[in-house]
Amino acid sequence: MFNCGKIAIIGGGSWATAIAKIIVENTHHIGWYIRLDDRIEDFKRMGHNPAYLTSVHFNMDEIYFSSDINKIVQAYDTLVFVTPSPYLKNHLKKLKVRIRDKFIVTAIKGIVPDENLVCSEYFHHVLDVPYDNIACIGGPSHAEEVALERLSYLTIACEDQEKANSFAETISGRFIKTKISNDVIGIEYASVLKNVYAIAAGICSGLKYGDNFQAVLVSNALQEMHRFLESMHPAERNVADSAYMGDLLVTCYSKFSRNRTFGSMIGKGYSVKSAQIEMEMIAEGYFGTKCMKEINRHMHVNMPILDAVYNILYERISPQIEIKLLTDSFR
Protein backbone atom coordinates (compact mmCIF):
# COMPACT_ATOMS: atom_id res chain seq x y z
CA MET A 1 0.00 0.00 0.00
CA PHE A 2 1.45 3.34 -1.07
CA ASN A 3 2.05 5.89 1.68
CA CYS A 4 2.32 9.59 0.85
CA GLY A 5 4.88 10.01 3.64
CA LYS A 6 5.78 13.55 4.65
CA ILE A 7 3.97 16.20 2.60
CA ALA A 8 5.19 19.66 1.62
CA ILE A 9 3.50 22.63 -0.04
CA ILE A 10 5.33 24.58 -2.75
CA GLY A 11 3.79 28.05 -3.05
CA GLY A 12 2.41 30.76 -0.80
CA GLY A 13 -0.83 31.99 -2.37
CA SER A 14 -4.48 31.54 -1.42
CA TRP A 15 -4.95 28.05 -2.93
CA ALA A 16 -1.65 26.92 -1.39
CA THR A 17 -2.88 28.20 1.97
CA ALA A 18 -6.21 26.41 1.60
CA ILE A 19 -4.53 23.12 0.68
CA ALA A 20 -2.12 23.51 3.59
CA LYS A 21 -5.12 23.93 5.90
CA ILE A 22 -6.65 20.71 4.55
CA ILE A 23 -3.47 18.66 4.85
CA VAL A 24 -2.20 19.89 8.21
CA GLU A 25 -5.59 19.24 9.79
CA ASN A 26 -5.18 15.54 8.95
CA THR A 27 -1.41 15.03 9.24
CA HIS A 28 -0.44 17.66 11.86
CA HIS A 29 2.78 18.39 9.99
CA ILE A 30 3.72 19.92 6.65
CA GLY A 31 6.77 21.42 5.05
CA TRP A 32 6.10 24.72 3.32
CA TYR A 33 8.25 26.46 0.73
CA ILE A 34 7.54 30.18 0.55
CA ARG A 35 9.91 32.23 -1.58
CA LEU A 36 10.29 35.30 0.64
CA ASP A 37 11.95 35.15 4.06
CA ASP A 38 10.10 38.23 5.32
CA ARG A 39 6.78 36.60 4.37
CA ILE A 40 7.78 33.54 6.42
CA GLU A 41 8.74 35.68 9.40
CA ASP A 42 5.43 37.54 9.27
CA PHE A 43 3.61 34.20 8.96
CA LYS A 44 5.33 32.84 12.07
CA ARG A 45 4.67 36.02 14.03
CA MET A 46 1.01 36.34 13.09
CA GLY A 47 0.10 32.65 12.95
CA HIS A 48 -1.49 33.08 9.52
CA ASN A 49 -0.50 33.87 5.97
CA PRO A 50 0.00 37.64 6.02
CA ALA A 51 -1.07 38.10 2.39
CA TYR A 52 -3.74 35.47 1.65
CA LEU A 53 -6.69 33.95 3.53
CA THR A 54 -5.70 35.81 6.68
CA SER A 55 -8.62 34.30 8.62
CA VAL A 56 -7.01 30.83 8.47
CA HIS A 57 -4.83 30.33 11.54
CA PHE A 58 -2.19 27.62 11.85
CA ASN A 59 -0.29 25.98 14.68
CA MET A 60 3.29 27.03 13.95
CA ASP A 61 4.59 23.88 15.68
CA GLU A 62 3.07 21.84 12.84
CA ILE A 63 4.84 23.65 9.99
CA TYR A 64 8.44 23.62 8.84
CA PHE A 65 8.98 26.71 6.68
CA SER A 66 11.85 27.33 4.29
CA SER A 67 12.64 29.75 1.49
CA ASP A 68 15.08 27.14 0.13
CA ILE A 69 13.19 24.86 -2.24
CA ASN A 70 16.02 22.32 -2.19
CA LYS A 71 15.71 21.82 1.57
CA ILE A 72 12.00 21.14 1.24
CA VAL A 73 12.37 18.79 -1.73
CA GLN A 74 15.16 16.88 0.01
CA ALA A 75 13.24 16.39 3.25
CA TYR A 76 9.72 15.54 2.01
CA ASP A 77 8.21 12.64 0.09
CA THR A 78 5.11 14.20 -1.48
CA LEU A 79 5.39 17.67 -3.01
CA VAL A 80 2.21 19.63 -3.69
CA PHE A 81 2.91 22.38 -6.21
CA VAL A 82 0.55 25.36 -5.90
CA THR A 83 2.35 28.21 -7.65
CA PRO A 84 0.93 30.33 -10.48
CA SER A 85 1.80 28.55 -13.72
CA PRO A 86 3.85 31.48 -15.13
CA TYR A 87 6.26 31.17 -12.18
CA LEU A 88 6.68 27.39 -12.05
CA LYS A 89 9.75 27.28 -14.31
CA ASN A 90 11.62 29.85 -12.23
CA HIS A 91 11.01 27.89 -9.03
CA LEU A 92 12.10 24.63 -10.61
CA LYS A 93 15.26 26.19 -12.07
CA LYS A 94 16.52 26.51 -8.49
CA LEU A 95 16.35 22.74 -7.98
CA LYS A 96 19.60 20.91 -7.39
CA VAL A 97 17.93 17.94 -5.71
CA ARG A 98 16.65 14.94 -7.67
CA ILE A 99 12.86 15.09 -7.99
CA ARG A 100 12.22 12.02 -10.14
CA ASP A 101 11.45 9.71 -7.23
CA LYS A 102 9.17 12.12 -5.35
CA PHE A 103 5.38 11.91 -5.56
CA ILE A 104 4.40 15.12 -7.34
CA VAL A 105 0.91 16.55 -6.89
CA THR A 106 0.05 19.57 -9.00
CA ALA A 107 -2.74 21.88 -7.90
CA ILE A 108 -1.77 24.42 -10.58
CA LYS A 109 -4.64 25.28 -12.88
CA GLY A 110 -2.64 26.61 -15.77
CA ILE A 111 -0.17 25.91 -18.56
CA VAL A 112 3.58 26.50 -18.39
CA PRO A 113 4.10 29.49 -20.73
CA ASP A 114 6.51 29.14 -23.66
CA GLU A 115 6.48 25.37 -23.20
CA ASN A 116 2.71 25.11 -23.81
CA LEU A 117 2.55 22.07 -21.55
CA VAL A 118 0.21 21.36 -18.67
CA CYS A 119 2.14 20.81 -15.46
CA SER A 120 2.12 17.00 -15.48
CA GLU A 121 3.60 17.06 -18.99
CA TYR A 122 6.23 19.57 -17.89
CA PHE A 123 7.29 17.48 -14.88
CA HIS A 124 7.46 14.40 -17.08
CA HIS A 125 9.20 15.78 -20.18
CA VAL A 126 11.51 18.32 -18.56
CA LEU A 127 12.22 16.84 -15.11
CA ASP A 128 11.90 13.16 -16.06
CA VAL A 129 9.27 12.35 -13.42
CA PRO A 130 7.38 9.17 -14.39
CA TYR A 131 3.68 9.72 -15.03
CA ASP A 132 2.76 7.24 -12.31
CA ASN A 133 4.53 9.56 -9.82
CA ILE A 134 2.43 12.56 -10.88
CA ALA A 135 -1.06 13.45 -9.69
CA CYS A 136 -3.28 16.48 -10.03
CA ILE A 137 -6.03 18.00 -7.90
CA GLY A 138 -9.25 18.86 -9.73
CA GLY A 139 -12.09 21.07 -8.48
CA PRO A 140 -14.66 22.45 -8.19
CA SER A 141 -13.21 24.44 -5.33
CA HIS A 142 -12.39 27.99 -4.36
CA ALA A 143 -9.76 28.64 -1.72
CA GLU A 144 -12.06 31.09 0.05
CA GLU A 145 -14.74 28.46 0.62
CA VAL A 146 -12.18 25.92 1.85
CA ALA A 147 -11.02 28.58 4.32
CA LEU A 148 -14.62 28.94 5.49
CA GLU A 149 -14.84 25.13 5.81
CA ARG A 150 -17.71 24.93 3.37
CA LEU A 151 -18.18 21.44 1.98
CA SER A 152 -16.01 20.95 -1.12
CA TYR A 153 -15.38 18.01 -3.44
CA LEU A 154 -11.96 17.34 -4.95
CA THR A 155 -10.87 14.84 -7.59
CA ILE A 156 -7.39 13.32 -7.30
CA ALA A 157 -6.12 12.01 -10.61
CA CYS A 158 -3.08 9.78 -11.12
CA GLU A 159 -2.23 6.97 -13.51
CA ASP A 160 -1.32 4.91 -10.44
CA GLN A 161 -4.72 4.53 -8.77
CA GLU A 162 -3.19 3.32 -5.52
CA LYS A 163 -1.28 6.60 -5.19
CA ALA A 164 -4.37 8.60 -6.12
CA ASN A 165 -6.37 6.79 -3.47
CA SER A 166 -3.68 7.29 -0.81
CA PHE A 167 -3.51 11.03 -1.36
CA ALA A 168 -7.31 11.28 -1.57
CA GLU A 169 -7.59 9.57 1.82
CA THR A 170 -4.94 11.89 3.23
CA ILE A 171 -6.91 15.03 2.39
CA SER A 172 -10.45 13.76 3.05
CA GLY A 173 -12.03 15.23 6.15
CA ARG A 174 -14.84 17.19 7.77
CA PHE A 175 -15.39 19.54 4.85
CA ILE A 176 -13.49 17.79 2.03
CA LYS A 177 -14.83 14.82 0.09
CA THR A 178 -12.72 13.16 -2.57
CA LYS A 179 -12.91 10.84 -5.54
CA ILE A 180 -10.18 9.47 -7.78
CA SER A 181 -9.54 9.40 -11.51
CA ASN A 182 -6.81 8.41 -13.94
CA ASP A 183 -7.45 11.31 -16.35
CA VAL A 184 -4.60 13.57 -15.24
CA ILE A 185 -4.04 15.39 -18.52
CA GLY A 186 -7.76 15.71 -19.28
CA ILE A 187 -8.50 17.28 -15.90
CA GLU A 188 -5.52 19.63 -16.22
CA TYR A 189 -6.60 20.87 -19.65
CA ALA A 190 -10.18 21.21 -18.41
CA SER A 191 -8.94 23.35 -15.52
CA VAL A 192 -7.12 25.61 -17.97
CA LEU A 193 -10.08 25.95 -20.29
CA LYS A 194 -12.60 26.67 -17.54
CA ASN A 195 -10.51 29.73 -16.63
CA VAL A 196 -10.72 30.94 -20.23
CA TYR A 197 -14.48 30.39 -20.26
CA ALA A 198 -14.84 32.19 -16.92
CA ILE A 199 -13.17 35.23 -18.48
CA ALA A 200 -15.74 35.00 -21.29
CA ALA A 201 -18.54 34.80 -18.71
CA GLY A 202 -17.12 37.83 -16.94
CA ILE A 203 -16.82 39.82 -20.16
CA CYS A 204 -20.46 39.07 -20.97
CA SER A 205 -21.49 40.08 -17.46
CA GLY A 206 -19.58 43.34 -17.82
CA LEU A 207 -21.40 43.93 -21.11
CA LYS A 208 -24.75 43.41 -19.30
CA TYR A 209 -25.70 40.13 -20.94
CA GLY A 210 -28.14 38.35 -18.63
CA ASP A 211 -28.46 34.96 -16.99
CA ASN A 212 -30.29 33.47 -19.97
CA PHE A 213 -27.33 34.12 -22.23
CA GLN A 214 -24.81 33.06 -19.58
CA ALA A 215 -26.48 29.64 -19.49
CA VAL A 216 -26.12 29.31 -23.27
CA LEU A 217 -22.50 30.49 -23.09
CA VAL A 218 -21.56 27.93 -20.41
CA SER A 219 -23.34 25.06 -22.18
CA ASN A 220 -21.44 25.91 -25.37
CA ALA A 221 -18.23 26.16 -23.35
CA LEU A 222 -18.74 22.63 -22.04
CA GLN A 223 -19.24 21.34 -25.58
CA GLU A 224 -16.10 23.19 -26.69
CA MET A 225 -14.13 21.72 -23.79
CA HIS A 226 -15.35 18.24 -24.69
CA ARG A 227 -14.30 18.64 -28.33
CA PHE A 228 -10.82 19.73 -27.34
CA LEU A 229 -10.29 17.01 -24.73
CA GLU A 230 -11.39 14.30 -27.15
CA SER A 231 -8.95 15.59 -29.76
CA MET A 232 -6.01 16.25 -27.43
CA HIS A 233 -6.28 13.27 -25.08
CA PRO A 234 -8.96 10.70 -25.96
CA ALA A 235 -10.05 8.78 -22.87
CA GLU A 236 -13.07 7.34 -21.11
CA ARG A 237 -14.40 10.40 -19.31
CA ASN A 238 -17.72 12.01 -18.57
CA VAL A 239 -17.43 15.79 -18.92
CA ALA A 240 -20.54 16.10 -16.75
CA ASP A 241 -18.40 14.97 -13.77
CA SER A 242 -17.52 17.55 -11.15
CA ALA A 243 -13.85 17.81 -12.19
CA TYR A 244 -14.96 19.08 -15.61
CA MET A 245 -18.46 20.60 -15.63
CA GLY A 246 -18.52 21.32 -11.89
CA ASP A 247 -15.24 23.22 -12.03
CA LEU A 248 -16.46 25.07 -15.12
CA LEU A 249 -19.70 26.13 -13.41
CA VAL A 250 -18.13 27.39 -10.20
CA THR A 251 -15.45 29.34 -12.04
CA CYS A 252 -17.93 30.96 -14.41
CA TYR A 253 -20.48 31.89 -11.74
CA SER A 254 -18.79 32.34 -8.36
CA LYS A 255 -18.08 35.72 -6.79
CA PHE A 256 -14.72 34.23 -5.72
CA SER A 257 -13.64 33.58 -9.33
CA ARG A 258 -10.64 35.74 -10.23
CA ASN A 259 -11.06 34.95 -13.91
CA ARG A 260 -14.70 35.97 -13.98
CA THR A 261 -13.79 39.17 -12.10
CA PHE A 262 -11.00 39.89 -14.58
CA GLY A 263 -13.34 39.30 -17.52
CA SER A 264 -16.03 41.51 -15.99
CA MET A 265 -13.55 44.37 -15.76
CA ILE A 266 -12.60 43.89 -19.42
CA GLY A 267 -16.28 43.92 -20.38
CA LYS A 268 -16.75 47.19 -18.47
CA GLY A 269 -13.99 48.84 -20.46
CA TYR A 270 -10.79 48.24 -18.47
CA SER A 271 -7.62 47.54 -20.41
CA VAL A 272 -5.90 44.24 -19.69
CA LYS A 273 -3.07 46.00 -17.84
CA SER A 274 -5.34 48.19 -15.71
CA ALA A 275 -7.51 45.20 -14.78
CA GLN A 276 -4.44 43.21 -13.74
CA ILE A 277 -3.10 46.10 -11.64
CA GLU A 278 -6.41 46.70 -9.88
CA MET A 279 -6.97 42.99 -9.12
CA GLU A 280 -3.54 42.53 -7.49
CA MET A 281 -3.99 38.78 -8.05
CA ILE A 282 -3.21 36.56 -11.02
CA ALA A 283 -6.03 35.50 -13.32
CA GLU A 284 -4.55 32.29 -14.74
CA GLY A 285 -6.96 32.38 -17.67
CA TYR A 286 -5.19 35.38 -19.20
CA PHE A 287 -2.03 33.32 -19.72
CA GLY A 288 -4.00 30.15 -20.43
CA THR A 289 -5.86 31.84 -23.29
CA LYS A 290 -2.67 32.52 -25.24
CA CYS A 291 -1.23 29.07 -24.55
CA MET A 292 -4.45 27.30 -25.58
CA LYS A 293 -4.69 29.39 -28.74
CA GLU A 294 -1.15 28.37 -29.69
CA ILE A 295 -1.84 24.71 -28.92
CA ASN A 296 -5.04 24.76 -30.94
CA ARG A 297 -3.24 26.17 -33.98
CA HIS A 298 -1.89 22.62 -34.33
CA MET A 299 -5.06 20.82 -33.19
CA HIS A 300 -7.57 22.71 -35.36
CA VAL A 301 -10.47 22.12 -32.97
CA ASN A 302 -13.52 24.35 -33.44
CA MET A 303 -13.21 26.65 -30.39
CA PRO A 304 -15.10 29.91 -31.00
CA ILE A 305 -15.20 30.96 -27.34
CA LEU A 306 -11.44 30.54 -26.94
CA ASP A 307 -10.95 32.50 -30.18
CA ALA A 308 -13.21 35.32 -28.98
CA VAL A 309 -11.43 35.67 -25.63
CA TYR A 310 -8.05 35.61 -27.37
CA ASN A 311 -9.13 38.31 -29.83
CA ILE A 312 -10.34 40.54 -27.01
CA LEU A 313 -7.32 40.09 -24.73
CA TYR A 314 -4.48 39.87 -27.25
CA GLU A 315 -5.74 41.38 -30.51
CA ARG A 316 -7.53 44.24 -28.70
CA ILE A 317 -10.73 43.72 -30.61
CA SER A 318 -13.71 45.43 -29.00
CA PRO A 319 -15.51 43.13 -26.52
CA GLN A 320 -18.87 44.42 -27.84
CA ILE A 321 -18.01 43.44 -31.42
CA GLU A 322 -16.37 40.12 -30.57
CA ILE A 323 -19.12 38.90 -28.24
CA LYS A 324 -21.82 39.94 -30.75
CA LEU A 325 -20.09 37.77 -33.36
CA LEU A 326 -19.92 34.96 -30.81
CA THR A 327 -23.62 35.20 -29.97
CA ASP A 328 -24.50 34.80 -33.64
CA SER A 329 -22.68 31.45 -33.70
CA PHE A 330 -24.67 29.99 -30.78
CA ARG A 331 -27.91 28.05 -31.07
Side-chain angles (χ1 to χ4, degrees), residues 82-93:
V82 208
T83 65
S85 59
Y87 305 150
L88 179 63
K89 284 174 68 173
N90 286 336
H91 289 300
L92 293 176
K93 282 178 182 176

Side-chain angles (χ1 to χ4, degrees), residues 192-201 259 285 288-289 292 305-306 309:
V192 175
L193 285 170
K194 57 93 178 181
N195 286 336
V196 176
Y197 301 141
I199 291 177
N259 293 284
T289 297
M292 290 303 307
I305 304 174
L306 169 68
V309 175

